[in-house]
Amino acid sequence: MRDSPVSTTSVKSGLSTLEALEAEGIHILREAVATARKPVILFSGGKDSVAVLHLATKAFWPGRVPIELLHVDTGHNFDEVIAFRDATVERLGLRLKVAKVQDYIDDGRLRERPDGTRNALQTVPLLDAIADGGYDVVFGGARRDEEKARAKERVVSLRDEFGAWDPRNQRPELWNLYNTRHLPGQHVRVFPLSNWTELDVWRYIEREALELPALYYAHEREVFERDGMLLTPHPALSRRETEPLERRVVRYRTVGDASCTGAVESPAANVADVIAEVAATRITERGATRADDRASEAAMEDRKKEGYF
Amino acid sequence: MTATASAPLAPDSRQTSLLRFATAGSVDDGKSTLVGRLLHDTKSILADAYAAVERVTRERGGAGVDLALLTDGLRAEREQGITIDVAYRYFSTPHRTFILADCPGHVQYTRNTVTGASTADALVVLVDARHGVLEQTRRHLAVAALLRVPHVIVAVNKIDLVDYAEEPFAAIEADVAEHSRRLALAITTVPVSALEGDNVAVRSERTPWYTGPTVLDLLETLPSADETERAAASGGWRLPVQYVLRPQDAALSPEHREYRGYAGQVAQGVIRVGDDVVVQPSGRRTTVAGIDTADGPLTQALSGQSVAVRLADEVDVARGDLLSSASDAAIPVKHLDAHVAWLADRPLRVRDRVLVQHGTALVQGMVTGISGVLDITLPGGTLDSSIVPGDSLALNDIGVVTLLLAQPLAVEDYGAHRHTGAFVLVDPQDGATLAAGTARAATPGTGHDGYLSI
């Protein structure tokens, strides 16, 4: 391990939290891939999926990552995140499949919502892509610390033909003996970062010197304020006259759909600054920046039951 | 009381150790409140989450903040005011990082307690100071004994409702001590009020008669299971083979053209380069030629580390095999004698066919005998002396079962080998996880503490 204890910690009597989380993530990836017919990693270019992909490169080193990548593009993603996504895929020599919400809207299979946000529209293209690709194990970067419905989800989560999650009837998950078996038509979602916190991900990004889209670091940008969030002008967002544009120094804690992902004011220009900021923050990641999770007490749970990631 | 005041910087996960613990207790023992209290007093609740709980408490006509609302994340849980499934929580203090499996108390969700406790280094069991040890408490203590959870903390909650008096606590403590002796569990008993915060994270002045540690003190200082295992390790190591690493694309790394590494997470002990190895179940022998990670080679690998091992000779090794140290090798068996916690709705009967998942191996098995079922209502017995005759296991039953395996597996005595002694039973038809199994010593009567022998 690159990161041997530097100070007063005793000599290698055990693993640090970060080392234990990394070893667990690698174990989960290897177990699921070894028992999969055709695995896929949901890769958006966001920090959590970057961490999952990096774990995969370690898990299967010195070989290539034996997993395809899939991205559901809402059509409202930040251009630089898409560019980062494509560059990463290219660098690692992997295969990326992109399912586009726009295609579904263009041919009438999905209709634009009145509020313009497309996050909720991802579910159908995702399930179609899983079925069309014949994927049976779908890796995601979700963490249990993100949200209280997520906190209930197993590392290996069985989904039915509709991609639905049944929180009241989850499989017991015992020791580190993960069960990925499922019937035809079903698949499992697997979350190697289940036990990581936002801060763990950032410490890992620092330790492993991982590149991320520049949006994660402080930059000056035109924003307007809505419901306490700083939104960036985007074709998908109609700014009201009462919402003046201002230039502010911001960064993003998550880089999802631009129509519902807000920036936070922050001077954190590098990984070390971000770690200090996240360590001291008093606002949760999703509370700060995701409009769709504010919709109701059970917004995430309801979407997951419909097959949302 | 504000969640936003003077938040300490979160500790550095590169330096702190990790403790996994689970909570258990009967319904209405205040488990969710205790969890909320731990999160609150360690300043682990962020302001927006706290504000949301404050708002919901108010909407329901309550006053202040109902800490239990922090943890009940599902719609049905909030509607019914009970916890249905395990929720995982993350918090830390300057000394340690914690993963908390918050388990439901209802009898019907005992299987979720088994889920949470299987990975726990410690189990916190709540007991209501007014009611003492109940049947469900005994069930949770039996689960702790079955899974050999290294340490149990009994939090005698609602001590405020017995006027912070010592007598009810002392009576429960004596009762618990009796259970701890019979079940061979290490138990510490602490008087707490989760609602008021007494002795959870902060020592209470209202229980001057109690001089022991707070719940958080204990959690911060208990050794983790890995630490316990390392301290007790006899020198033998185990590595279930997950995946054979053979780079198919020689162009990617020409220097690894001939590479063949056996990937896995060290289950027990310390592997060193040069160690003699036995591959089970084949019994072939060789030595460790190298231990690799993506970050470079290691001279040794500790339990918990995910590595790839290279072997000196070209022996046949596949996923499902178990590498073990030749000096203290695991022995493959075709018959298993095990405790089984049955977690499925349909019953388990003799002659049922199951899949046995052990480490990375999955083999067919048949139930050849059910010699008994744990009767939790029997007073005064050990886990084994409370086994009564029975010929099937129903949901949430714990029984003693014998299994015939289609292929030999190196399943070991769970009491001595927590990783290689554990297995799960899987339904061969629909893939459902049916049971948690802990293997007993192969020969009856070899237990040293009376626990393994009937």
Side-chain angles (χ1 to χ4, degrees), chain A residues 13 64 152 195 282 284 302, chain B residues 47 75 77 90 230 249:
Chain A
S13 62
R64 210 187 277 277
K152 297 265 168 183
N195 287 325
R282 303 308 301 153
T284 62
D302 292 346
Chain B
R75 195 182 278 281
E77 292 177 328
Y90 304 84
R230 268 190 287 274
D249 188 351

Side-chain angles (χ1 to χ4, degrees), chain A residues 1-3 5-7 9 12-24 26-28 30-31 33-35 57-64 66 144-145 148-149 151-154 165 167-179 181-183 186 194-197 199-200 203 206-208 276 279-284 287-288 296-298 301-302 305, chain B residues 3 7 9-18 20 43 45-48 71 73-78 80 83-90 97 99 109 111-112 114-115 118-119 147 230 242-243 245 247 249 252-253 256 259 263-265 292-295 298 302 304-307 319 343 355 357 359-360 362 414 422-424 426 429-433 435-438:
Chain A
M1 297 279 135
R2 185 173 303 181
D3 173 51
V6 278
S7 61
T9 323
K12 264 334 202 193
S13 62
L15 307 184
S16 71
T17 297
L18 202 56
E19 288 168 338
L21 292 174
E22 180 189 55
E24 180 181 76
I26 289 173
H27 172 80
I28 291 164
R30 286 171 173 169
E31 278 305 283
V33 168
T35 54
T57 63
K58 287 193 158 193
F60 300 101
W61 179 93
R64 210 187 277 277
R144 287 169 175 154
D145 81 321
K148 54 190 173 183
K152 297 265 168 183
E153 190 150 9
R154 303 278 192 257
W165 177 61
R168 306 186 70 164
N169 194 25
Q170 299 193 79
R171 278 182 184 164
E173 194 157 82
L174 304 150
W175 297 287
N176 63 349
L177 302 175
Y178 299 106
N179 179 0
R181 293 176 76 83
H182 57 275
L183 295 172
Q186 300 178 334
S194 284
N195 287 325
W196 299 44
T197 63
L199 191 55
D200 293 325
R203 288 220 161 97
E206 179 184 55
R207 194 187 87 175
E208 301 293 313
T281 187
R282 303 308 301 153
I283 307 288
T284 62
S296 85
E297 256 296 89
E301 178 185 351
D302 292 346
K305 283 181 181 165
Chain B
L9 278 190
D12 191 338
S13 55
R14 294 170 304 178
Q15 304 291 340
T16 52
S17 68
L18 181 62
R20 297 170 197 255
K43 300 191 166 54
I45 303 167
L46 299 189
D48 55 329
T71 57
L74 300 175
R75 195 182 278 281
E77 292 177 328
R78 287 188 298 274
Q80 298 173 39
T83 309
I84 289 171
D85 205 344
V86 187
Y88 293 85
R89 309 282 160 199
Y90 304 84
T97 313
I99 298 178
Y109 301 119
R111 62 178 169 189
N112 298 331
V114 177
T115 287
S118 70
T119 53
L147 296 174
R230 268 190 287 274
Q242 283 189 289
Y243 199 91
L245 292 166
D249 188 351
L252 184 70
S253 50
H256 294 114
Y259 190 88
Q265 187 171 21
D292 297 325
T293 71
D295 297 317
L298 303 175
L302 305 175
Q305 275 186 294
S306 283
V307 296
R319 171 174 168 83
L343 310 172
L355 291 171
Q357 186 177 343
T360 56
L362 188 74
Y414 184 80
F423 62 90
V424 299
V426 174
Q429 293 185 59
D430 65 8
T433 301
T438 59

Side-chain angles (χ1 to χ4, degrees), chain B residues 129-130 132 156 159 162-174 209:
Chain B
R130 298 166 300 173
V156 179
I159 200 77
V162 293
D163 300 323
Y164 296 97
E166 184 176 7
E167 292 72 28
F169 173 78
I172 293 169
E173 190 179 32
W209 41 267

Side-chain angles (χ1 to χ4, degrees), chain B residues 340-407:
Chain B
V340 159
W342 190 248
L343 310 172
D345 290 322
R346 69 168 172 83
L348 177 75
R349 296 199 173 88
V350 174
R351 295 196 62 190
D352 276 357
R353 286 162 193 278
V354 291
L355 291 171
V356 180
Q357 186 177 343
H358 171 251
T360 56
L362 188 74
V363 307
Q364 293 187 67
M366 189 196 287
V367 179
T368 53
I370 298 175
S371 59
V373 183
L374 182 69
D375 183 349
I376 208 73
T377 62
L378 287 181
T382 63
L383 203 53
D384 274 342
S385 73
S386 302
I387 300 280
V388 299
D391 54 10
S392 70
L393 298 184
L395 176 65
N396 297 321
D397 276 350
I398 292 170
V400 180
V401 169
T402 49
L403 292 162
L404 172 65
L405 304 175
Q407 279 114 40

Side-chain angles (χ1 to χ4, degrees), chain B residues 79-440:
Chain B
E79 283 164 6
Q80 298 173 39
I82 59 163
T83 309
I84 289 171
D85 205 344
V86 187
Y88 293 85
R89 309 282 160 199
Y90 304 84
F91 68 99
S92 47
T93 68
H95 305 289
R96 199 166 233 178
T97 313
F98 298 96
I99 298 178
L100 156 57
D102 180 15
C103 302
H106 254 271
V107 177
Q108 69 195 95
Y109 301 119
T110 299
R111 62 178 169 189
N112 298 331
T113 303
V114 177
T115 287
S118 70
T119 53
D121 304 323
L123 182 69
V124 179
V125 180
L126 267 90
V127 170
D128 188 318
R130 298 166 300 173
H131 306 140
V133 172
L134 304 176
E135 184 177 320
Q136 188 64 348
T137 319
R138 286 156 50 153
R139 191 181 304 277
H140 289 149
L141 290 176
V143 167
L146 178 77
L147 296 174
R148 295 280 181 131
V149 177
H151 203 98
V152 176
I153 298 166
V154 170
V156 179
N157 191 27
K158 308 193 183 183
I159 200 77
D160 52 316
L161 298 185
V162 293
D163 300 323
Y164 296 97
E166 184 176 7
E167 292 72 28
F169 173 78
I172 293 169
E173 190 179 32
D175 195 358
V176 168
E178 172 64 14
H179 281 81
S180 115
R181 193 182 57 73
R182 283 191 285 101
L183 296 173
L185 282 169
I187 306 185
T188 314
T189 313
V190 185
V192 308
S193 167
L195 194 67
E196 304 292 335
D198 300 283
N199 296 327
V200 178
V202 182
R203 176 167 301 284
S204 174
E205 289 171 4
R206 292 179 284 207
T207 53
W209 41 267
Y210 176 75
T211 54
T214 64
V215 171
L216 189 63
D217 286 340
L218 284 165
L219 293 172
E220 283 188 321
T221 52
L222 287 176
S224 69
D226 272 354
E227 287 163 356
T228 308
E229 183 270 308
R230 268 190 287 274
S234 55
W237 56 261
R238 305 286 182 263
L239 181 94
V241 175
Q242 283 189 289
Y243 199 91
V244 182
L245 292 166
R246 294 217 64 192
Q248 288 156 355
D249 188 351
L252 184 70
S253 50
E255 72 276 23
H256 294 114
R257 200 180 299 271
E258 301 301 322
Y259 190 88
R260 185 192 287 263
Y262 302 104
Q265 187 171 21
V266 185
Q268 173 192 314
V270 181
I271 309 181
R272 294 183 177 82
V273 175
D275 279 358
D276 291 326
V277 181
V278 179
V279 182
Q280 298 294 19
S282 71
R284 292 194 180 85
R285 286 170 175 261
T286 179
T287 54
V288 175
I291 304 169
D292 297 325
T293 71
D295 297 317
L298 303 175
T299 53
Q300 62 173 40
L302 305 175
S303 64
Q305 275 186 294
S306 283
V307 296
V309 168
R310 276 178 289 116
L311 298 177
D313 303 290
E314 288 230 349
V315 292
D316 180 19
V317 180
R319 171 174 168 83
D321 287 349
L322 180 72
L323 304 183
S324 81
S325 46
S327 56
D328 173 27
I331 309 298
V333 296
K334 279 207 70 167
H335 294 272
L336 264 187
D337 180 20
H339 279 111
V340 159
W342 190 248
L343 310 172
D345 290 322
R346 69 168 172 83
L348 177 75
R349 296 199 173 88
V350 174
R351 295 196 62 190
D352 276 357
R353 286 162 193 278
V354 291
L355 291 171
V356 180
Q357 186 177 343
H358 171 251
T360 56
L362 188 74
V363 307
Q364 293 187 67
M366 189 196 287
V367 179
T368 53
I370 298 175
S371 59
V373 183
L374 182 69
D375 183 349
I376 208 73
T377 62
L378 287 181
T382 63
L383 203 53
D384 274 342
S385 73
S386 302
I387 300 280
V388 299
D391 54 10
S392 70
L393 298 184
L395 176 65
N396 297 321
D397 276 350
I398 292 170
V400 180
V401 169
T402 49
L403 292 162
L404 172 65
L405 304 175
Q407 279 114 40
L409 282 181
V411 186
E412 303 186 87
D413 166 24
Y414 184 80
H417 305 270
R418 208 175 176 211
H419 286 277
T420 48
F423 62 90
V424 299
L425 299 183
V426 174
D427 189 318
Q429 293 185 59
D430 65 8
T433 301
L434 300 172
T438 59
R440 293 143 50 96

